[in-house]
């Protein structure tokens, strides 16, 4: 619990000073835009100038910077009970998301009617002068102690990144998708949702009787769909793989069968969908409060990957990020700590992956590790630990040490932090859509959208 204490008029002396510090976050700029109605795109992430050059980070609105002065006046000096009379500022430089700002105020005059004049200044911690000026405020006359114990927080954005993916994928031609054993209501619903949104054109492989029965239970007429009657799941999976190899399908989708059975056909040396790279699953997540998509790997296939496997896991995630519009993804390789520890193998693997990216053995991304989760996704946590890199606090991709850790992280975000999750298997000749009975409609739909975008945009080999 935070207690704020003021300095009343009679105790206020010329020369008294106070300061506060604040890390700029892109979320702050979204909140400011919603409060003020200022939708200047220069203040939003991923904005491109007219010349097409991408800004590294969004620019902090100057008036947002000016409001930080009120935090020093209202919280520190004079403190609670202070009210503005006027403020005059001149701006010199710009702040960007990720900058840490120092806001300083100093009493310069005590004017009539209990008005105090303050000299105000805002700088970055690396010495850049942002703004300077004065503020006149009405100073309280009595002591006030205020407990700040129940100020509600804000969650910025709600799955707008998935909305953007769907808007990009829906105009594209639907991809032919071999759906293996969609013989229950939930396993049939996913491909039908993808079809309704023009993302995929499903070819239904399995027991025709069970597929039609499932369609009846959800009230759908599937008489116009291609249905291949193959009740044996192993043979149905093999048939789906063969359709991809024959060019009749551009994606594979799991229905109501064991994942191992489907992927076993995918990885067969003779007639499978191998590419020379290991398979790995990538969760694609829209997390409220994050200004970008978050990719997490590998939470479904490789149980305890060694370094060689992690190279493929990392490259697969990078390749998917490219097709989702992230030109140079920032990859945070996770461990429990952010320093090398010979007793923790994941820290050694993370350091090796980072160096391999520097040497071009992993391509198309900025890779850094080891990073603990907090300093991989939170700039302030990274700054507190003294970590300065282009990835720390801003990771687009998280590479987890093990299957358990990746799976738990993705599900914690989904069921506790209200994130939405889709995802596909990478490393095969085509995207493989794995759906779960616990997935909601949005998760199924986005998994289809991700597969469609990848199928259309993947580089030709």
């Amino acid at each position: 619990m935070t207690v704020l204490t003021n300095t009343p008029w009679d105790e206020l002396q010329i020369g008294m000073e106070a300061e506060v510090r604040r890390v700029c976050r892109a979320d702050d700029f979204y909140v400011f835009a919603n409060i003020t109605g200022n939708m200047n795109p220069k203040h939003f992430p991923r904005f491109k100038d007219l010349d097409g050059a991408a800004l590294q980070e969004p620019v902090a609105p100057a008036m947002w910077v000016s409001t930080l002065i009120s935090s020093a006046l209202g919280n520190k000096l004079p403190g609670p009970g202070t009210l503005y009379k006027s403020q005059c500022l001149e701006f010199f430089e710009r702040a960007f998301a990720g900058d840490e700002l120092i806001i300083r105020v100093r009493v310069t005059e005590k004017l009539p009617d209990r008005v105090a004049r303050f000299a105000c200044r805002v700088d970055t911690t690396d010495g850049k002068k942002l703004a300077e000026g004065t503020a006149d405020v009405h100073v309280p006359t009595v002591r006030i102690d205020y407990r700040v114990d129940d100020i509600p927080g804000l969650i910025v954005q709600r799955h707008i990144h998935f909305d953007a993916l769907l808007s990009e994928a829906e105009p594209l031609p639907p991809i032919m998708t071999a759906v293996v054993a969609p013989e229950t209501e939930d396993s049939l619903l996913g491909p039908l949702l993808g079809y309704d949104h023009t993302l995929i054109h499903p070819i239904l492989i399995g027991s025709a009787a069970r597929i039609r029965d499932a369609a009846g239970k959800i009230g759908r007429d599937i008489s116009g769909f291609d249905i291949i009657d193959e009740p044996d799941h192993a043979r149905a999976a093999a048939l789906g793989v063969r359709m991809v190899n024959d060019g009749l399908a551009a994606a594979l989708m799991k229905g109501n069968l064991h994942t191992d059975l489907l992927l076993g056909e995918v990885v067969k040396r003779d007639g499978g969908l191998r590419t020379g790279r290991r398979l790995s699953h990538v969760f694609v997540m829209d997390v409220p409060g994050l200004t970008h998509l978050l990719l997490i790997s590998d939470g479904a296939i490789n149980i305890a990957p060694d370094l060689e496997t992690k190279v493929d896991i990392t490259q697969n995630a990078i390749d998917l990020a490219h097709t989702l519009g992230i030109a140079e993804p920032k990859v945070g390789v996770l461990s429990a700590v952010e320093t090398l520890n010979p007793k923790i193998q994941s820290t050694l693997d993370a350091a090796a992956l980072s160096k391999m990216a520097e040497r071009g053995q992993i391509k198309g991304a900025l890779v850094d590790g080891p990073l603990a989760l907090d300093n991989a996704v939170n700039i302030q946590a990274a700054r507190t630990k003294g970590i300065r890199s282009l990835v720390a606090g801003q990771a687009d991709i998280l590479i987890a040490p093990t299957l358990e850790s990746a799976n738990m992280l993705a599900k914690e975000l989904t069921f506790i932090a209200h994130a939405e999750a889709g995802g596909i298997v990478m490393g095969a000749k085509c995207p493989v859509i794995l759906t779960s009975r616990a997935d909601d409609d949005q998760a199924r739909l986005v998994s289809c959208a991700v597969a469609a975008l990848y199928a259309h945009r993947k580089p030709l080999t």
Side-chain angles (χ1 to χ4, degrees), residues 260-276:
D260 289 348
L261 193 57
L262 179 63
L263 296 184
E265 294 295 327
V266 171
V267 299
K268 278 187 174 179
R269 293 189 179 277
D270 185 14
L273 301 176
R274 285 173 171 262
T275 63

Side-chain angles (χ1 to χ4, degrees), residues 210-278:
R210 289 198 291 269
I211 293 171
R212 292 191 178 98
D213 182 62
K217 290 178 179 177
I218 59 176
R220 289 296 298 260
D221 178 7
I222 59 170
S223 58
F225 287 82
D226 295 324
I227 302 176
I228 300 175
D229 187 20
E230 178 48 80
D232 182 272
H233 285 177
R235 288 197 291 267
L239 182 56
V241 168
R242 192 180 315 131
M243 294 187 74
V244 174
N245 280 323
D246 292 344
L248 301 176
L252 195 62
M253 187 172 189
K254 173 182 174 289
N256 186 42
L257 78 164
H258 290 297
T259 300
D260 289 348
L261 193 57
L262 179 63
L263 296 184
E265 294 295 327
V266 171
V267 299
K268 278 187 174 179
R269 293 189 179 277
D270 185 14
L273 301 176
R274 285 173 171 262
T275 63
R277 193 184 291 174
R278 289 170 177 79

Side-chain angles (χ1 to χ4, degrees), residues 2-149:
T2 302
V3 178
L4 303 180
T5 301
N6 69 354
T7 302
W9 173 259
D10 289 342
E11 298 178 25
L12 193 70
Q13 302 294 324
I14 293 174
M16 282 184 168
E17 298 180 338
E19 75 171 48
V20 296
R21 297 190 177 215
R22 175 70 175 263
V23 175
C24 295
R25 301 179 306 146
D27 281 0
D28 295 322
F29 308 160
Y30 281 119
V31 172
F32 184 81
N34 278 277
I35 291 172
T36 64
N38 177 6
M39 299 299 171
N40 183 347
K42 277 185 174 288
H43 305 318
F44 302 149
R46 314 268 181 207
F47 171 71
K48 291 181 179 291
D49 268 331
L50 295 178
D51 62 4
L55 293 175
Q56 289 187 341
E57 298 295 345
V59 181
M63 294 311 296
W64 175 81
V65 172
S66 73
T67 64
L68 299 181
I69 294 172
S70 68
S71 67
L73 295 170
N75 294 343
K76 293 288 189 76
L77 189 71
T82 300
L83 293 174
Y84 260 102
K85 184 174 186 292
S86 65
Q87 181 167 301
C88 179
L89 288 176
E90 182 178 1
F91 297 93
F92 301 93
E93 296 280 356
R94 300 297 175 187
F96 298 86
D99 285 343
E100 183 177 10
L101 309 187
I102 306 173
I103 302 93
R104 299 182 176 93
V105 296
R106 178 173 53 84
V107 182
T108 59
E109 294 182 69
K110 295 183 73 173
L111 304 173
D113 299 322
R114 297 189 302 278
V115 171
R117 178 162 295 164
F118 285 80
C120 310
R121 178 165 172 155
V122 183
D123 301 277
T124 62
T125 52
D126 58 7
K128 185 167 61 175
K129 180 180 176 181
L130 301 179
E132 188 174 47
T134 61
D136 289 357
V137 298
H138 296 283
V139 181
T141 59
V142 297
R143 174 78 61 185
I144 298 175
D145 293 323
Y146 181 69
R147 296 173 180 265
V148 183
D149 56 0

Side-chain angles (χ1 to χ4, degrees), residues 105-400:
V105 296
R106 178 173 53 84
V107 182
T108 59
E109 294 182 69
K110 295 183 73 173
L111 304 173
D113 299 322
R114 297 189 302 278
V115 171
R117 178 162 295 164
F118 285 80
C120 310
R121 178 165 172 155
V122 183
D123 301 277
T124 62
T125 52
D126 58 7
K128 185 167 61 175
K129 180 180 176 181
L130 301 179
E132 188 174 47
T134 61
D136 289 357
V137 298
H138 296 283
V139 181
T141 59
V142 297
R143 174 78 61 185
I144 298 175
D145 293 323
Y146 181 69
R147 296 173 180 265
V148 183
D149 56 0
D150 192 26
I151 302 298
L154 297 175
I155 295 178
V156 179
Q157 307 179 60
R158 178 66 179 176
H159 307 143
I160 65 168
H161 308 303
F162 275 4
D163 293 342
L165 285 184
L166 291 171
S167 68
E168 289 182 41
E170 286 177 346
L172 300 172
I175 59 172
M176 300 298 290
T177 302
V179 187
V180 181
E183 299 166 347
T184 59
E185 298 97 304
D186 57 353
S187 63
L188 182 59
L189 185 59
L192 293 182
L193 282 171
Y195 172 81
D196 292 342
H197 287 262
T198 68
L199 302 171
I200 68 172
H201 186 92
I203 305 166
L204 309 177
I205 308 169
S207 167
R210 289 198 291 269
I211 293 171
R212 292 191 178 98
D213 182 62
K217 290 178 179 177
I218 59 176
R220 289 296 298 260
D221 178 7
I222 59 170
S223 58
F225 287 82
D226 295 324
I227 302 176
I228 300 175
D229 187 20
E230 178 48 80
D232 182 272
H233 285 177
R235 288 197 291 267
L239 182 56
V241 168
R242 192 180 315 131
M243 294 187 74
V244 174
N245 280 323
D246 292 344
L248 301 176
L252 195 62
M253 187 172 189
K254 173 182 174 289
N256 186 42
L257 78 164
H258 290 297
T259 300
D260 289 348
L261 193 57
L262 179 63
L263 296 184
E265 294 295 327
V266 171
V267 299
K268 278 187 174 179
R269 293 189 179 277
D270 185 14
L273 301 176
R274 285 173 171 262
T275 63
R277 193 184 291 174
R278 289 170 177 79
L279 298 186
S280 61
H281 182 269
V282 185
F283 281 108
V284 179
M285 309 204 68
D286 191 340
V287 184
L290 283 186
T291 60
H292 54 83
L293 287 170
L294 183 67
L295 280 59
I296 299 173
S297 194
D298 170 10
I301 296 178
N302 297 283
I303 297 173
D306 58 14
L307 177 60
E308 187 177 6
T309 303
K310 287 179 180 178
V311 172
D312 285 350
I313 290 172
T314 303
Q315 192 65 64
N316 283 341
I318 293 168
D319 291 349
L320 179 59
H322 290 165
T323 63
L324 300 182
I326 308 173
E328 190 178 39
K330 300 170 183 178
V331 182
V333 188
L334 298 180
S335 184
V337 294
E338 62 279 348
T339 55
L340 283 175
N341 186 333
K343 295 180 180 180
I344 304 178
Q345 182 61 42
S346 59
T347 67
L348 304 179
D349 291 347
L353 292 170
S354 180
K355 181 57 68 174
M356 292 171 80
E358 288 183 15
R359 300 288 174 86
Q361 293 171 267
I362 297 172
K363 302 180 185 299
L366 300 172
V367 181
D368 191 20
L371 292 172
L373 177 61
D374 57 347
N375 46 60
V377 298
N378 185 279
I379 290 176
Q380 192 160 2
R383 293 291 175 85
T384 299
K385 294 288 185 68
I387 303 171
R388 289 184 176 271
S389 79
L390 294 175
V391 174
Q394 307 172 81
D396 301 297
I397 299 172
L398 299 177
I399 302 299

